[in-house]
Each structure stands twice: as C-alpha cells, then as structure tokens.
Amino acid sequence: YLHTDIAKLRATLAPFLLKTQEYGFLLTRSLFYRDLRRFPYTPLDSSAVIPAGTSSTAAAQPFMNLVASGGTAEDILQIILVSPEYFGLARQKAFWGGSRWKISFQV
C-alpha cells in the first residue's frame, strides 16, 4: 500500500517541480554556463562586473517563464544555439581554444 502511495506522489510531484521558477532558473543557469561559458546574469563580455541593482534572475526570467509554461531543456538549448552570442563564440574559436576548430573545419 505504501509503495502505491509513493508512486502516486512521484507521478504528481515530478511534473509540478519541473514547472517551478526555481527549476527554470537552475536549468537556465546550467545551460548558459555549459554552452555560453557564462551565467545568465553576467554581462555578455564575460566580465565579473554585474551592474548594481541587477536581479540575479532578471536575464533568466524569459527562460524561467518558458519552463513554467511547459518548455523543456531542449527549447532553451535551441534558443541558445541559434543566438548571435553562441555563433560569436564559435567564430572566435572560444570552445576549444582554436586548434580543434581549425582541424575539424579548416577555417
């Protein structure tokens, strides 16, 4: 009987948790760091200076709203991968330090 209750709890709780603002922020932060090499609340120039009065979630808010409305990690990743910032990093060869990019794509 207890096993059935736990299964019901998981089935009910998991979809709820995956739509929270906290999950959306953590997901956005991890994808930004992995793919853009910065956090969503840091400036595009990757400096450590965050303007005074800037909320740590302000830049991530559109992505958090996307997750809250049913968006997935793949939806956020798609937005990141087609961004000018991502292409700029690729053009600057910032992902692999240059050598791998030159060998793979003969730039």
Side-chain angles (χ1 to χ4, degrees):
Y1 181 74
L2 181 61
H3 179 68
T4 308
D5 289 342
I6 291 174
K8 287 179 186 177
L9 178 63
R10 281 187 185 169
T12 306
L13 191 57
F16 170 75
L17 291 176
L18 293 176
K19 291 184 178 184
T20 63
Q21 291 287 312
E22 293 84 3
Y23 174 74
F25 178 70
L26 293 174
L27 177 63
T28 300
R29 188 175 71 172
S30 67
L31 291 174
F32 262 65
Y33 187 75
R34 186 189 75 185
D35 298 318
L36 297 176
R37 307 295 191 254
R38 69 176 184 88
F39 293 112
Y41 44 82
T42 55
L44 294 177
D45 64 0
S46 297
S47 67
V49 178
I50 300 171
T54 301
S55 167
S56 63
T57 61
Q61 194 63 51
F63 299 102
M64 294 164 56
N65 294 342
L66 176 64
V67 170
S69 67
T72 64
E74 289 80 16
D75 296 329
I76 294 173
L77 188 58
Q78 182 180 11
I79 294 167
I80 290 172
L81 294 180
V82 299
S83 71
E85 182 180 359
Y86 185 82
F87 282 116
L89 288 171
R91 277 196 311 273
Q92 295 169 9
K93 304 170 186 120
F95 294 121
W96 303 295
S99 61
R100 182 173 172 187
W101 183 268
K102 289 178 185 174
I103 292 169
S104 298
F105 296 100
Q106 302 299 319
V107 174

